[in-house]
Amino acid sequence: MRVGPKISLASIYDHDKDKYRRVMYRGYISELFVPYQDLTEEWYFRTFLDAGEFGFGICAVPLQPSKDCPKNAVFLDGYYTTRDGTPAKTENVFCVFERYAGDIMWRHSETILPGDTVEVREDVTLVVRMVSTVANYDYIIDWEFKQTGSIKVTVSLSGILAVKASKYTHKDQTEDGEELYGTLVAENTIGTRHDHFVNFHLDLDIDGHANSFVKTHLKTKVVPNSYGIPPSSPRRSYWTVVNDVAKTESDAKIRVGSGETELTVVNPNKKTKMGNDIGYRLIPGPAVGPMLLEDDHEQIRGAFSNYNVWVTPYNNSEKWAGGLFVDQSHGDDNLAKWTLRDREIENKDIVLWYTLGFHHVPVQEDFPIMPTWSGAFELKPNNFFERNPVLKVNSLKPTNWVNCSAHK
């Protein structure tokens, strides 16, 4: 009811080991923080926590076959409990389908050998989709599972802008220095600037419960001048890798783009035959963070957006990044408060919290219906397998597609 789709017990089949190996115990959207940037009396309070205040699952809508989902999709109904305790059903709330969009899984052309040997494998993925219409916005959520073991999560925005009336019909009519808090998208209509911060609760179990969070820094090193000793290389510099295992919660707070090059959850108790820690790497989306002051009341309520990445030890009561009750909350029970305890997270059952962000400055093309705007992140195997796990995947069978032409 609150978060919509939950992905549980996500595992990947390892052909070499002939077994399923756990990647994620449970993953879901924990909260959505949408602060509008209009300080007028009618708008300043419009900062929403969509999951906790409205219910991301309750706001899910039936999907339209062959429009919201392709023709090969299978649909699932959703069930939940209404406010008076009676059961309710939303038909076709999820769709599951295989996607082949002409993407390449892997390829190589060996031009040195006689005959120019070429091998290519097409990328076919499994997608789980839900759409939640929260008031004016439509959120399209895709969980995409790749044969390589990667899990890609995409959040797409569409729907109708939240707009307000204006006396202006042209931008030239505004006075110098006047703050409109948005863009004049049509006559007498202003699309207000705002943000979307979508927080994901990712309870990863990388081949077991005990995991660690590793920050990898790429450092430039300068080769020292050793007088009298012939250099082995004329190079003067190179870059090397420095790994930093987060010991406590404070070590794991990350603003994407602040320096850490790779962020990985590893199982330090299991290694590959080559001796590497098995793990999964977080491939973040765009580096987007809040621009409100941290002591702004609304930012205190949505404080999980202060960092893109948090890591906490698993606690069954800590499910919602914005707190258990967010209606008129004061931000005293949320992810930012929990992590002040600075608990140990090394070699523990840990939860990775990732916030995907959008700064939305409306443009005229967004009005009246907004074209889809997407952001994504990915969880990718990092020394999880002994080798390329899709090396023996067969190519797709040839298909004769019907030729289409425009109707005159």
Side-chain angles (χ1 to χ4, degrees), residues 12 21-23 148-151 204 206-207 212-216 218 241 243 261-268 270-272 274-283 378-389:
I12 180 70
R21 299 172 64 191
R22 179 73 54 77
V23 175
T148 57
S150 288
I151 302 174
L204 301 180
I206 307 301
D207 217 17
S212 295
F213 181 63
V214 179
K215 300 177 290 183
T216 300
L218 303 187
V241 174
N243 290 324
T261 304
E262 295 183 357
L263 306 171
T264 310
V265 175
V266 304
N267 187 330
K270 295 183 179 180
K271 299 182 183 296
T272 64
M274 299 297 103
N276 296 309
D277 289 338
I278 67 169
Y280 258 70
R281 180 154 53 107
L282 172 68
I283 310 296
E378 192 167 340
L379 298 168
K380 185 176 182 179
N382 193 94
N383 296 319
F384 188 81
F385 299 101
E386 295 293 340
R387 59 187 177 91
N388 180 354

Side-chain angles (χ1 to χ4, degrees), residues 3 5 28-34 50 56 99 127-134 137-144 151-159 195-202 283-286 354-359 370-378:
V3 303
Y28 56 87
I29 290 177
S30 176
E31 192 54 82
L32 295 91
F33 180 41
V34 187
D50 284 344
F56 204 59
R99 170 187 285 159
V127 179
V128 179
R129 175 172 294 168
M130 190 199 82
V131 175
S132 184
T133 301
V134 185
Y137 259 100
D138 291 61
Y139 294 92
I140 306 159
I141 309 300
D142 282 358
W143 288 82
E144 186 172 5
I151 302 174
K152 183 178 180 180
V153 186
T154 303
V155 177
S156 301
L157 311 178
S158 189
D195 301 314
H196 300 264
F197 296 108
V198 188
N199 180 268
F200 286 83
H201 175 285
L202 304 168
I283 310 296
Y354 175 70
T355 300
L356 181 69
F358 302 82
H359 291 310
M370 177 182 165
T372 300
W373 179 19
S374 300
F377 70 93
E378 192 167 340

Side-chain angles (χ1 to χ4, degrees), residues 211-215 244-254 307 309-314 335 338-353:
N211 290 172
S212 295
F213 181 63
V214 179
K215 300 177 290 183
D244 178 17
V245 179
K247 305 292 185 181
T248 65
E249 291 173 290
S250 61
D251 295 335
K253 297 177 182 179
I254 303 293
Y307 295 90
V309 176
W310 311 69
V311 179
T312 63
Y314 175 80
L335 181 58
W338 306 332
T339 57
L340 292 177
R341 289 174 282 180
D342 203 18
R343 295 163 293 185
E344 294 184 358
I345 57 172
E346 185 180 10
N347 205 11
K348 304 282 186 182
D349 187 2
I350 57 177
V351 176
L352 175 70
W353 307 76

